[in-house]
Amino acid sequence: MRITQGTFSFLPDLTDQEIRAQIEYALAKGWACASEHTDDAHPRNVYWEMHGTPMFDVKDAAGVMLELNACRKAFPDRYIKLNAFDSTKGIESTQLSFIVNRPASEPAFHLVRQEGPGRAIRYTTVPEVARSRPDDD
């Protein structure tokens, strides 16, 4: 199963040269780049862990690629995405976000059926990663 999130998610994985071109595009727009990683890429998991800090002062794609490759080296078996933020209006608004690294084996999702009051039935998807974690309760 292939996780599809963000820009370019239905395309084949981008090469480093294509990633660099997107970084150059973002920097030309004045956007700051940042990388995030997670082992749970469920579509509703919007809170990925940030690697380092947003690169507001980096104006060269080589610097962003250096940080991205450091994240890949530290977390080779995790999902990693690159985000570009526009802070021109005083807020950090995500303008571009795409996955740049995937684990060798992507986790499966399981469909869980929940029966509620009356005839209400709800379905939820649970990633294999979440099923193998101990409960925090």
Side-chain angles (χ1 to χ4, degrees), residues 59-109:
K59 304 297 180 205
D60 182 22
V64 176
M65 285 299 294
L66 184 70
E67 288 298 317
L68 177 59
N69 287 330
C71 185
R72 285 174 169 167
K73 185 176 179 181
F75 305 102
D77 292 326
R78 295 190 112 192
Y79 291 93
I80 299 173
K81 69 180 172 181
L82 186 73
N83 299 315
F85 301 99
D86 181 7
S87 61
T88 58
K89 295 183 172 81
I91 57 171
E92 290 181 21
S93 178
T94 304
Q95 298 297 320
L96 179 65
S97 179
F98 57 97
I99 294 175
V100 296
N101 193 73
R102 296 172 182 276
S105 173
E106 296 197 55
F109 284 85

Side-chain angles (χ1 to χ4, degrees), residues 1-3 38-42 77-79 102-110 126-132:
M1 178 174 189
R2 181 176 168 85
I3 300 296
T38 188
D39 63 350
D40 178 12
H42 187 281
D77 292 326
R78 295 190 112 192
Y79 291 93
R102 296 172 182 276
S105 173
E106 296 197 55
F109 284 85
H110 300 276
V126 179
E128 185 67 35
V129 171
R131 289 176 45 143
S132 63

Side-chain angles (χ1 to χ4, degrees), residues 6-53:
T7 312
F8 316 122
S9 64
F10 290 96
L11 298 176
D13 290 339
L14 299 179
T15 65
D16 280 359
Q17 184 178 5
E18 292 168 329
I19 292 168
R20 185 184 183 102
Q22 294 304 317
I23 293 169
E24 288 170 353
Y25 172 80
L27 295 176
K29 292 281 193 178
W31 302 338
C33 294
S35 56
E36 297 179 330
H37 60 92
T38 188
D39 63 350
D40 178 12
H42 187 281
R44 292 189 181 175
N45 177 18
V46 295
Y47 298 108
W48 291 32
E49 296 177 50
M50 188 170 282
H51 181 260
T53 57

